[in-house]
Amino acid sequence: MPAVVVIGGQWGDEGKGRIVDLLARKASIVARYSAGHNAGHTIVNHMGKFALHVVPAGIFYPEKTCVIGNGLVIDPAVLIEEITSLETRGVSTEKLRVSDRAQLVMPWHPMIDIADEQLRGVNAVGTTGKGITPAFADKVGRLGIRIAELADPDGFSERLRFVLEHKNRLLTRYYDLDPLDPEPIEDEYREHWSRLARYVTDTGELCREALRQGERVLLEGAQGTLLDLDNGTYDFVTSSVPTSMAAGAAMGTGISPRDIDRVVGVYKAYQTRVGAGPMPTELTDATGDRLRECGQEYGTTTGRPRRCGWFDGVAARYTVQLNGCQSISLTRLDVLDTFESLKVCVAYELDGRRIMTVPAGRRALFSTRPIYEEMPGWQTDTSRCRNFDDLPTAAQDYVRRIEKLIGAPAALVSVGPERDQAIIVDPII
Ligand code: IMP
């Protein structure tokens, strides 16, 4: 039974955690493959409401192995806090495993993240400030530190001093900040290792062995394809390369792309974005505020209000194709329940031309204007619908229009945050 990937098809926050939570039942391993604690997954289940940042959403199934893959950057203090908070609330982390190849977020990374944003001024990306991009930049620049180094105290000490020498030059001469002292960092990370050592292993081999045994591995994406470094709305993107594409899922867990047989894209029934950058269907008026309030669209990680707008069919069609999604999960349909009418972006206008693709250049990205099709709302509570046919006709039409526009069927439509508030059209796995 090969691997299944769950990816975000928009700018993140599509509700992937919830879909993973549903699909995890049928997998033996649930593995996160990208990003770091910039990500935030909200999960509501019989144990309560949880906000996860690094730990995979499968953690609520005690018999499943949950993997934090090599594609992540990990702040050990954050991971320990997340583990402690889960354990305190009765969620076992006994079967959690962390890749020995994952990179560490070090104390200089958030400092550089924040200083860089200040230097960018009006061009600031609106990062989460967690040090994610500097940590990935160091991985690519070969100045990163893998978590495996912590197992070798002398090796870690040597590596820390070597890297910090570079970083202190950067902090003092370029950013005008105080240098960091290696000793307290060394002590702090040793202490972290004493808590984390039991979880750290070669998770790539663990996943490959499971696949060899015919077990199902579920790969859990973070953020969304439009934040992808290569294919997103550059430079207003995140830095986990290529964070949300299906092949990135193989790279970030250490399995072969040939092991992936299904890619499920998760899309909100409307559009949201946190941070700066182009967003053609953004609504800066009362309708946008209404969407935000109906959907309680505030960031899980930073609490920032999310920018809201109508469903962008051009961007969604692009990300369905990029990822090779065979089907999608359409989330939060119920958020639209009270709207009298809805709009769907079916094409862009750029320099007087109608286009159906996402442009590459900055000026073009900011200048595209949405061409809308208007559809009637249903003004009926959908939160209790459990079959597609239970949905009001206008809601069915809305889902069908999106499917046609983006070229993928909706295997699942969610109508509320609870586990059972989902219409399963096709069981996916
Ligand atoms: P960074 O990942 O902190 O460098 O932030 C880069 C961009 O990605 C910013 O616009 C963030 O708001 C956005 N971003 C990062 N993580 C998430 C996420 O989990 N959901 C939504 N947006 C995110």
Side-chain angles (χ1 to χ4, degrees), residues 11-13 38-40 125-129 133 223 227 237-238 274-275 304:
W11 278 290
D13 311 315
N38 49 349
V125 173
T127 72
T128 54
T133 286
Q223 292 125 8
L227 288 170
V237 293
T238 188
V274 202
R304 289 181 287 180

Side-chain angles (χ1 to χ4, degrees), residues 68-231:
I68 297 178
N70 54 275
L72 278 90
V73 293
I74 298 172
D75 183 329
V78 173
L79 177 57
I80 291 167
E81 200 185 304
E82 206 164 310
I83 290 172
T84 311
S85 134
L86 284 165
E87 292 278 352
T88 313
R89 293 179 65 187
V91 182
S92 168
T93 58
E94 201 52 44
K95 298 197 78 177
L96 178 68
R97 297 291 176 270
V98 179
S99 170
D100 48 7
R101 289 166 172 77
Q103 297 273 327
L104 287 168
V105 175
M106 300 301 294
W108 50 86
H109 291 135
M111 292 168 73
I112 293 174
D113 194 352
I114 292 162
D116 260 337
E117 282 283 271
Q118 277 163 3
L119 281 177
R120 289 176 69 102
V122 291
N123 286 312
V125 173
T127 72
T128 54
K130 307 283 181 195
I132 305 303
T133 286
F136 277 107
D138 275 351
K139 173 179 171 177
V140 176
R142 293 158 302 185
L143 282 174
I145 306 179
R146 278 179 166 176
I147 205 163
E149 302 305 333
L150 292 173
D152 166 17
D154 293 342
F156 176 68
S157 178
E158 198 182 308
R159 179 73 179 162
L160 172 67
R161 279 168 174 74
F162 165 72
V163 175
L164 194 51
E165 204 184 311
H166 277 260
K167 294 297 156 188
N168 274 340
R169 285 189 200 186
L170 192 70
L171 291 176
T172 55
R173 297 188 194 174
Y174 182 68
Y175 293 110
D176 236 351
L177 293 168
D178 290 334
L180 292 171
D181 181 357
E183 256 144 51
I185 300 177
E186 196 176 331
D187 292 347
E188 186 192 333
Y189 278 68
R190 280 219 175 118
E191 177 63 30
H192 292 330
W193 179 246
S194 68
R195 291 286 317 278
L196 290 179
R198 56 179 287 250
Y199 297 104
V200 177
T201 188
D202 181 349
T203 56
E205 179 50 23
L206 193 76
C207 292
R208 292 190 295 274
E209 176 59 17
L211 289 165
R212 284 195 293 269
Q213 296 301 324
E215 291 170 22
R216 172 77 74 194
V217 178
L218 186 62
L219 306 179
E220 172 183 334
Q223 292 125 8
T225 309
L226 297 171
L227 288 170
D228 179 70
L229 187 58
D230 267 70
N231 297 286

